[in-house]
Each structure stands twice: as structure tokens, then as C-alpha cells.
């Protein structure tokens, strides 16, 4: 397959972000493409596209097997071949990712002034639980201004927060509250400053805008497919770092310009990328 052209930083310059893992790229590929057809895609096709994204064949086979063991991909043997579909857990992950992506890419920047506050404590000896909690709260875009307190302006994420706390068995040591601040203690500007350090992310966004704006259009169907998947994966990793603060809290945030560029490129390449992927699948049958 032809090289993807969207990210010059991945072709010898300093990377925008650390290189994605094989699991991350498979999640991007499967989450974007497999919902198109319930019958799924052949191993050969998935490995071919992962190979174009820089994942060697043996690593691709390993991550497919691990994804089946983790319960988010199902495999179906058809003769001597194997076909892969999203499992129920995989469909849940994809649905959640789509909702988060739509919010991230949306031009709507409204905010009702209410915060989501989580007060939680984890016993010192439960290090694994604490690590999982912090990872989940990072994914929800919550900041940590003071010990034991996590905040976000995104009240719509309450159901996801409920699931996280329940899954970790922290119902007895956590309480969440939604509402505006009332002028006691930290101001909202101070709350933002203490909760999130966005300097490195802002610089990554600026470099992304410069590099993608200067990159030539992908030439050919393979390059469009790989560029599109590169772009989606980068967006997903940006989303993990960006709390998506409204302009009322963070005016002139460069991430909004980056999201607009991502939105434009996705609209431009999506149809051709999906068509090329399923052409590869059909050719692999």
C-alpha cells in the first residue's frame, strides 16, 4: 500500500505525539470500518491495512488475538479463513467513541455554567484501582485541582462517570455534584489553571495545523485510506489530552482550530477511505 501523506511528522520529523500502539491503530481501524458491514472483515485485509500503518504482520496477528480475548472483537472461521466482527463490548466502545468524537468536532461551544465535581478517595494499598481511576478520569477530561477533587464542565458525562466509579467498586468513597461555583475559594480561572496544564498540547496542536495545512493531498485510494486512518487515530489521542473546555473558560484555544481542520479533512476523505477498505476486504475473500 502507498504511504499515508497526512502527517509529515511521522515521516522522519519530530512526531506530534508518541507513536501509536498496534492496539490503538486496530481500535481506530475496526471502530471506523467494521460497523459498515455486519459480516466483518477478513484477517488478510486487516493485516494489509495495519501493515500500511506500520504494524508488522506478527504484531497485527497478536493484537487481533488479544482483542478477541479482551472481548471487543469476535472471530468467525469460514473455511480456512477468519472473519472479524465487533463484539457487543466493541460496539459499546465504538458508540462511546462516536459520541465523544461528535462533541469534539462540533462547532457548538455553549456551556450552561455548571461544573461536574467528583470527590473520591482510594485506599493507599489499592494502587491498581487508583491507576485505573486516574486513567478513566483523564479519558473523561476531568482535571485535578486539589487532592481528592476532580472537575469538568461536561455534565453530560455523568453516565460514563457512574460506570467508571461502579466498575472500580468506589461507590462508598465517591460522591459527585453538578452545579455552578458560588464564589468561595478558587475562581473559575484559577480552577482551570490548577486542573489542566495545556501548554504542551497547545504546541502539539499548532504543529499539527502547520503540518497538515502544508501537506499535499493524498494521491490515490490507498494513500487516502491510510491518511484518513492516521488522522482518526491522531484525533482520538488528542481527545484523550484535551478537556474540551468551553470558550467561556478558555478563550482563543488553538484546539478549536485543530478540530475544525480535522472535521474538514474527515469530510473530504471519509467516503473514499471507506470504499477502498471494503474493496480490499472483497479482494481478500
Amino acid at each position: 500500500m502507498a504511504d499515508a501523506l497526512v502527517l509529515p511528522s511521522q515521516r522522519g520529523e519530530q512526531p506530534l505525539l508518541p507513536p501509536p500502539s498496534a492496539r490503538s491503530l486496530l481500535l481506530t481501524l475496526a471502530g471506523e470500518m467494521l460497523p459498515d458491514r455486519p459480516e466483518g472483515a477478513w484477517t488478510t485485509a486487516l493485516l494489509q491495512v495495519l501493515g500500511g500503518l506500520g504494524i508488522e504482520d506478527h504484531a497485527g496477528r497478536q493484537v487481533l488475538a488479544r482483542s478477541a480475548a479482551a472481548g471487543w472483537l469476535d472471530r468467525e472461521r469460514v473455511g480456512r479463513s477468519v472473519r472479524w466482527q465487533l463484539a457487543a463490548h466493541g460496539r459499546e466502545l465504538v458508540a462511546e467513541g462516536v459520541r465523544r468524537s461528535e462533541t469534539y468536532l462540533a462547532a457548538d461551544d455553549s456551556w450552561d455554567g455548571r461544573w461536574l465535581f467528583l470527590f473520591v478517595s482510594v485506599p493507599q494499598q489499592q494502587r491498581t484501582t487508583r491507576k485505573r481511576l486516574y486513567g478513566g478520569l483523564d479519558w473523561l477530561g476531568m482535571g485535578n485541582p486539589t487532592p481528592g477533587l476532580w472537575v469538568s464542565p461536561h455534565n453530560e458525562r455523568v453516565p460514563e462517570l457512574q460506570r467508571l466509579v461502579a466498575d472500580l467498586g468506589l461507590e462508598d468513597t465517591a460522591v459527585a455534584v453538578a452545579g455552578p461555583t458560588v464564589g468561595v475559594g478558587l475562581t473559575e480561572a484559577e480552577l482551570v489553571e490548577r486542573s489542566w496544564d495545556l501548554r504542551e498540547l497547545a504546541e502539539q496542536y499548532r504543529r499539527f495545523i502547520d503540518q497538515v495545512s502544508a501537506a499535499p493531498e493524498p494521491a490515490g485510494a490507498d494513500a487516502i485510506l491510510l491518511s484518513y486512518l492516521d488522522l482518526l487515530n491522531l484525533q482520538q489521542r488528542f481527545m484523550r489530552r484535551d478537556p474540551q473546555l468551553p470558550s467561556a473558560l478558555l478563550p482563543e484555544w488553538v484546539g478549536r482550530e485543530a478540530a475544525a481542520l480535522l472535521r474538514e479533512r474527515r469530510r473530504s476523505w471519509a467516503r473514499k477511505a471507506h470504499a477502498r477498505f471494503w474493496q480490499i476486504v472483497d479482494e481478500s475473500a
Side-chain angles (χ1 to χ4, degrees), residues 8-183:
S9 63
Q10 295 183 354
R11 311 295 182 245
E13 301 176 19
Q14 181 183 1
L16 286 168
L17 298 174
S21 65
R23 180 181 182 277
S24 173
L25 289 170
L26 177 59
L27 277 169
T28 299
L29 171 59
E32 178 68 16
M33 298 298 176
L34 294 188
D36 289 356
R37 295 187 187 178
E39 67 270 21
W42 303 106
T43 302
T44 304
L46 293 172
L47 292 177
Q48 180 178 339
V49 177
L50 287 173
L53 294 169
I55 303 302
E56 295 183 0
D57 189 87
H58 74 279
R61 292 183 185 276
Q62 285 180 345
V63 75
L64 281 168
R66 289 170 182 166
S67 299
W72 66 270
L73 281 184
D74 285 334
R75 51 187 158 193
E76 174 190 11
R77 183 164 293 279
V78 182
R80 300 179 63 181
S81 300
V82 174
R83 192 160 50 192
W84 298 82
Q85 303 100 7
L86 289 171
H89 179 51
R91 291 193 295 272
E92 291 175 1
L93 289 175
V94 170
E96 180 180 321
V98 168
R99 288 193 297 270
R100 185 66 58 82
S101 177
E102 289 174 347
T103 299
Y104 178 81
L105 296 174
D108 182 11
D109 189 39
S110 59
W111 180 51
D112 64 4
R114 297 192 309 142
W115 290 82
L116 174 61
F117 298 94
L118 173 70
F119 303 87
V120 62
S121 63
V122 182
Q124 188 66 32
Q125 64 271 24
Q126 295 183 15
R127 295 181 180 178
T128 300
T129 299
R130 184 183 296 107
K131 182 177 180 181
R132 290 177 60 196
L133 174 66
Y134 291 176
L137 294 173
D138 282 343
W139 169 239
L140 291 176
M142 300 194 76
N144 183 212
T146 62
L149 173 63
W150 294 80
V151 301
S152 169
H154 292 284
N155 291 283
E156 73 278 4
R157 296 177 186 171
V158 167
E160 295 170 70
L161 182 60
Q162 288 175 323
R163 287 196 297 272
L164 175 65
V165 169
D167 288 347
L168 296 178
L170 296 174
E171 296 98 325
D172 292 339
T173 60
V175 61
V177 179
T181 58
V182 293

Side-chain angles (χ1 to χ4, degrees), residues 192-207:
V192 169
E193 183 178 359
R194 292 196 185 189
S195 299
W196 298 280
D197 184 353
L198 300 175
R199 290 170 294 183
E200 182 180 10
L201 179 60
E203 178 57 28
Q204 291 167 337
Y205 271 140
R206 293 186 189 99
R207 289 173 49 220

